[in-house]
Amino acid sequence: MGGVILGLRFGLVGTGLAGPLFAGALAARPDGAELVAVAARREESARAFAAKHGITAVHANWQALVNDPAIDAVCIATPTGSHREIAVAAAQAGKHVLTEKPIATTLADADAMIDACAAAGVQLGVIFMYRFMDTARKMKEAIDSGLIGRPLLGECVGKFWRDQAYYDSAAWRGTWAAEGGGSLMTQTSHTLDLMLWLLGPVSQVAGFFTVTPAHTIETEDLAVGSLRFTSGALGTVISSSGIKPPAPRSLTIHGEFGTIKLTGDRLTQWDVPGEPDADALRMLAECAPDRGDTAAKAGYADSELHRRQIADFVAAIEQGRPPAIDGAEGRRTLEVMRAVYRSSSRNEMVSLPIEEDETAP
């Protein structure tokens, strides 16, 4: 599907926590795109959502939505385990696909989504909207320009809190088959994706995961991983949904010449050599907008970062290029998380790339 598409028409599958983010982002009409249809597991939920967000078409199920000829692209905001089926069907119907993170629960499912979209000639995008933060892009610029020298160590920390009621609120939460993992997949994957974006491919992973006394779930609520990047840098990831009190997510990059750090949405450390960077100093001084700190609760306060990513997705379709975060990028983050799980389960260091079909580690 090439050429310029004026007023790209989106359909949304899923009206849970991520649904309002897509609706809010598309209400801003990035590059003329609009949300014209919605479907959910329960039709009454879809109708209520449509009424709230001014959506004209409501479908009884996702199958009807992906086959609607009035739709150009499908947003997937459903449990991770369902992404493959919806994405493949949407691609076969000639629709572009933009799915919430993680891309899938297994690498086999991610590959099926990537292959289906490639075969159909449609775009596949994965939501990792933190890459569109001004502060994250400032960090990327500093690293790519060599400002802190060769990166030595990355530290990704996600110390969140979710009570048992959160996991009990839906049968799919905290299950390998439907969620694909626990805190690492759902709460910390955004910050881990940022670290991979900044530091590049990973060659080896060692990890541990467990369930704390705070929860009764199938998947982990505490994971720790050690990463070796192909560049020679090392990295750590700490993820939990059972920490009291929770703390803002953070990402620290230590280089040969200095250190930069992101805490929540804010740039909180800029120790680099040379003349002061006026833009960096401004970011250090100002308070970033509160987009809804996910440490203490699920959900976000606004959809601005989704809007930025959707704008890039629309531009990619119009220009015939891959979106900034395509299927391969989404798969890379999934592979590292799967490697942490595999390392812990098998009590061994895991070398990447890995090939696996299992849902549980």
Side-chain angles (χ1 to χ4, degrees):
M1 296 178 67
V4 176
I5 300 175
L6 297 177
L8 195 75
R9 299 161 299 181
F10 282 82
L12 171 66
V13 181
T15 58
L17 291 173
L21 292 172
F22 283 107
L26 285 163
R29 303 291 294 274
D31 294 325
E34 61 180 326
L35 182 59
V36 300
V38 64
R41 185 174 55 85
R42 292 183 300 133
E43 188 175 352
E44 59 269 28
S45 297
R47 292 198 177 280
F49 188 91
K52 180 177 180 180
H53 295 282
I55 302 169
T56 54
V58 176
H59 292 286
N61 52 60
W62 66 261
Q63 291 90 341
L65 184 141
V66 301
N67 287 299
D68 184 346
I71 294 171
D72 303 306
V74 174
C75 296
I76 303 175
T78 59
T80 310
S82 65
H83 288 183
R84 172 181 177 166
E85 185 178 19
I86 299 170
V88 170
Q92 291 172 346
K95 318 297 185 187
H96 301 284
V97 177
L98 182 60
T99 183
E100 265 295 338
K101 61 79 186 169
I103 184 174
T105 57
T106 68
L107 295 177
D109 281 0
D111 288 337
M113 294 165 66
I114 293 168
D115 292 345
C117 289
V122 297
Q123 295 288 8
L124 171 61
V126 182
I127 292 289
F128 276 118
M129 71 284 187
Y130 287 175
R131 291 199 202 180
F132 290 84
M133 292 190 297
D134 294 338
T135 45
R137 292 190 166 195
K138 187 65 181 175
M139 291 180 74
K140 176 74 168 170
E141 176 187 308
I143 293 169
D144 289 352
S145 67
L147 191 60
I148 63 170
R150 183 170 68 92
L152 304 175
L153 174 65
E155 298 174 283
C156 165
V157 180
K159 297 179 180 178
F160 303 94
W161 168 251
R162 298 289 186 272
D163 59 19
Q164 184 64 36
Y166 164 82
Y167 289 102
D168 293 342
S169 66
W172 58 269
R173 292 193 185 280
T175 65
W176 291 113
E179 194 165 14
S183 64
L184 182 60
M185 287 278 279
T186 301
Q187 277 78 44
T188 310
S189 58
H190 279 301
T191 311
L192 175 61
D193 175 75
L194 274 185
M195 183 163 72
L196 300 181
W197 182 51
L198 296 177
L199 298 184
V202 171
S203 60
Q204 291 180 300
V205 175
F208 297 95
F209 71 86
T210 189
V211 183
T212 73
H215 301 121
T216 302
I217 55 174
E218 185 177 288
T219 60
E220 95 290 348
D221 66 356
L222 176 61
V224 176
S226 297
L227 316 179
R228 184 187 298 276
F229 291 86
T230 58
S231 67
L234 300 181
T236 61
V237 55
I238 299 173
S239 172
S240 182
S241 57
I243 298 296
K244 285 187 175 181
R249 63 188 185 276
S250 66
L251 175 61
T252 308
I253 306 297
H254 301 279
E256 292 177 280
F257 308 140
T259 295
I260 51 180
K261 182 175 183 178
L262 185 72
T263 304
D265 291 3
R266 294 188 59 207
L267 194 62
T268 53
Q269 187 174 1
W270 190 265
D271 289 322
V272 299
E275 293 297 319
D277 183 312
D279 194 35
L281 293 176
R282 175 185 58 79
M283 289 182 177
L284 281 166
E286 70 182 13
C287 286
D290 180 6
R291 305 194 190 283
D293 185 0
T294 58
K297 63 183 186 302
Y300 303 85
D302 71 59
S303 53
E304 167 59 17
L305 298 181
H306 271 67
R307 186 201 65 75
R308 294 182 187 183
Q309 184 165 355
I310 291 173
D312 171 80
F313 186 71
V314 173
I317 293 170
E318 293 179 345
Q319 297 164 14
R321 62 166 174 84
I325 308 170
D326 61 7
E329 288 288 293
R331 186 191 190 279
R332 180 174 68 172
T333 301
L334 174 65
E335 184 176 35
V336 172
M337 294 187 292
R338 295 293 296 167
V340 171
Y341 293 144
R342 170 174 281 203
S343 174
S344 182
S345 295
R346 301 187 181 186
N347 194 31
E348 63 183 21
M349 183 178 293
V350 175
S351 294
L352 275 61
I354 59 174
E355 302 276 342
E356 49 83 19
D357 291 323
E358 310 103 338
T359 301

